[in-house]
Amino acid sequence: RGTDPALEAGPILLSQDDEQQLRILLEQRMSPGDYAGELYELARNEAPDRDSERLEELIAATIRRHGGAQTGLRLSRPHCTRSVCTLMARGTATTSDPRADWQRLSASIMNQPWFREHFDDASTVVVPDAQGIAYLTFYVRCTPDACRFGTNPF
């Protein structure tokens, strides 16, 4: 298990080597100019703003609270820039349905009141390979007080 306090319960923290391999795999599936490719470029090149660290901690805290059942996932630390937050994961052989685990964890994050106040969209790239299933989810930030989700539940 990972020992990072950001991911104490549930999913396992990806090692740096695993995270790099996952990045390479996901990058091969994205094309410049497509939606995921544009979001990935923002995540890689855009600077964080004053809320980025707070949003990263909110995502990590939700994972700690709601991720206990998703023990078959290995996750990156959340990463936020001014426009987008990302979370990478890999489903492992210890889970019977990594897609369901990822969907439950993603739904937990997206159903938080703070999520609806800071994000307008979520998009996931899913890549199966010989080691399992890889995920890269983009949470697209909105302008404060102009989020289309608002405070209404989904």
Side-chain angles (χ1 to χ4, degrees), residues 74-153:
R74 294 183 312 200
L75 298 179
S76 67
R77 291 173 184 86
H79 170 72
C80 295
T81 70
R82 184 172 32 92
S83 300
V84 65
C85 293
T86 58
L87 190 59
M88 289 191 308
R90 179 174 285 290
T92 66
T94 61
T95 184
S96 60
D97 190 353
R99 287 179 193 236
D101 281 354
W102 185 246
Q103 289 170 347
R104 280 190 290 272
L105 188 58
S106 295
S108 293
I109 293 168
M110 293 175 62
N111 283 324
Q112 299 302 306
W114 57 262
F115 183 90
R116 294 188 299 273
E117 294 170 4
H118 294 281
F119 296 93
D120 261 347
D121 196 11
S123 179
T124 300
V125 176
V126 180
V127 180
D129 74 347
Q131 296 179 25
I133 300 176
Y135 305 93
L136 173 57
T137 295
F138 301 99
Y139 302 112
V140 181
R141 294 179 60 185
C142 56
T143 305
D145 300 321
C147 294
R148 67 184 172 106
F149 292 144
T151 56
N152 297 321

Side-chain angles (χ1 to χ4, degrees), residues 1-16 18-19 63-64 67 70-77 92 94:
R1 291 194 89 75
T3 57
D4 186 304
L7 302 174
E8 290 170 355
I12 300 166
L13 185 65
L14 283 168
S15 71
Q16 286 183 350
D18 287 341
E19 193 168 326
I63 292 168
R64 285 192 304 268
Q70 284 76 44
T71 57
L73 292 175
R74 294 183 312 200
L75 298 179
S76 67
R77 291 173 184 86
T92 66
T94 61

Side-chain angles (χ1 to χ4, degrees), residues 3-56:
T3 57
D4 186 304
L7 302 174
E8 290 170 355
I12 300 166
L13 185 65
L14 283 168
S15 71
Q16 286 183 350
D17 287 342
D18 287 341
E19 193 168 326
Q20 183 60 29
Q21 290 173 359
L22 193 54
R23 257 187 231 294
I24 291 167
L25 174 67
L26 291 162
E27 284 175 6
Q28 291 171 349
R29 296 300 276 250
M30 288 185 257
S31 301
D34 71 8
Y35 186 59
E38 289 176 11
L39 293 175
Y40 188 72
E41 286 303 310
L42 283 173
R44 283 180 36 161
N45 298 314
E46 187 176 56
D49 65 5
R50 61 187 168 101
D51 285 334
S52 293
E53 188 175 325
R54 184 175 66 83
L55 291 172
E56 289 170 356

